[in-house]
Amino acid sequence: MKFFVDTADTAEIEDLAATGLLDGVTTNPSLIAKSGRDFMEVTKEICGLVDGPVSAEVVALDHETMMKEAEVLRKIADNVCIKVPLTIDGLKTCKALTGEGTMVNVTLCFSANQALLAAKAGATFISPFVGRHDDNGFDGMELIRDIRLIYDNYLFDTEILVASVRHATHVLESARIGADVATMPPAVIKGLFKHVLTDKGIEGFLADWAKTGQTILK
């Protein structure tokens, strides 16, 4: 499963990219606003930090203006992935862009039927929001299972990009189901490293090493 980080914080992206675990980045207008920086500037910087897809979202709601915004965004870098909402105009834009060879991430997916439509429109990625789904009394992981089944039934190439990931269990269950990508806030990715027994093991090894009075670095 690919790991994307969901942030516009370039320092966090650079730090995670250094681990070799980062396959891409997702952003949205809210994350860019939170950074307090120029939209185009921060997107270009992010594209230079990772080799994989960087989702940059249009803000228009009509197809014609979405296409105009997409034309500006995809000139930023070769790894820009245009992010569009799961609406009729969004899918029109998706079909047009993917037909031209541009990567498209269809976002704000909350049903398997919506995911089916996005795949038929040629989406590169579909972004089902599992955390928000859970918040509204539904089972986010059941949504991922349904999408995986449908995509496998019809051999769609669209990748399932699990979004609105809140905790490590979302990541684990997504991997079990066979999702292609999980996009996570930096804190969730860093939390995957943590385990109480790992911490205890390190403490024990260091205590035993200290007793030897030795040093590796002379």
Side-chain angles (χ1 to χ4, degrees), residues 152-183:
D152 289 347
N153 281 348
Y154 298 101
L155 302 178
F156 286 121
D157 293 327
T158 300
E159 295 189 29
I160 302 171
L161 194 167
V162 182
S164 188
V165 171
R166 301 281 174 76
H167 44 68
T169 302
H170 276 155
V171 181
L172 175 60
E173 290 301 313
S174 296
R176 282 176 169 168
I177 293 165
D180 302 285
V181 190
T183 187

Side-chain angles (χ1 to χ4, degrees), residues 177-192:
I177 293 165
D180 302 285
V181 190
T183 187
M184 301 161 268
V188 172
I189 295 180
K190 292 176 180 178
L192 299 177

Side-chain angles (χ1 to χ4, degrees), residues 110-152:
F110 292 95
S111 79
N113 281 336
Q114 289 179 320
L116 176 59
L117 295 174
K120 287 179 68 64
T124 312
F125 301 101
I126 183 67
S127 290
F129 279 42
V130 295
R132 292 194 197 180
H133 211 57
D134 291 347
D135 291 345
N136 285 275
F138 302 99
D139 184 348
M141 288 298 108
E142 191 63 30
L143 173 59
I144 304 304
R145 289 187 192 93
D146 286 344
I147 298 172
R148 180 76 280 161
L149 176 62
I150 291 168
Y151 282 13
D152 289 347

Side-chain angles (χ1 to χ4, degrees), residues 43-208:
T43 303
K44 183 176 182 179
E45 185 174 340
I46 291 170
C47 287
L49 292 173
V50 295
D51 295 326
V54 175
S55 289
E57 190 165 349
V58 298
V59 294
L61 296 178
D62 65 285
H63 169 61
E64 184 179 352
T65 312
M66 284 184 188
M67 289 298 295
K68 290 177 181 177
E69 291 179 350
E71 184 62 27
V72 173
L73 293 174
R74 63 183 175 177
K75 288 179 180 177
I76 295 174
D78 291 340
N79 56 332
V80 164
C81 176
I82 305 300
K83 199 173 182 183
V84 300
L86 213 159
T87 61
I88 290 178
D89 283 83
L91 293 189
K92 285 180 184 177
T93 303
C94 172
K95 184 68 173 178
L97 291 174
T98 55
E100 296 172 359
T102 298
M103 293 184 291
V104 176
N105 177 0
V106 178
T107 190
L108 292 171
C109 173
F110 292 95
S111 79
N113 281 336
Q114 289 179 320
L116 176 59
L117 295 174
K120 287 179 68 64
T124 312
F125 301 101
I126 183 67
S127 290
F129 279 42
V130 295
R132 292 194 197 180
H133 211 57
D134 291 347
D135 291 345
N136 285 275
F138 302 99
D139 184 348
M141 288 298 108
E142 191 63 30
L143 173 59
I144 304 304
R145 289 187 192 93
D146 286 344
I147 298 172
R148 180 76 280 161
L149 176 62
I150 291 168
Y151 282 13
D152 289 347
N153 281 348
Y154 298 101
L155 302 178
F156 286 121
D157 293 327
T158 300
E159 295 189 29
I160 302 171
L161 194 167
V162 182
S164 188
V165 171
R166 301 281 174 76
H167 44 68
T169 302
H170 276 155
V171 181
L172 175 60
E173 290 301 313
S174 296
R176 282 176 169 168
I177 293 165
D180 302 285
V181 190
T183 187
M184 301 161 268
V188 172
I189 295 180
K190 292 176 180 178
L192 299 177
F193 288 89
K194 301 295 289 181
H195 195 287
V196 62
L197 295 181
T198 302
D199 295 340
K200 288 183 68 175
I202 291 172
E203 290 175 9
F205 291 153
L206 291 178
D208 290 340

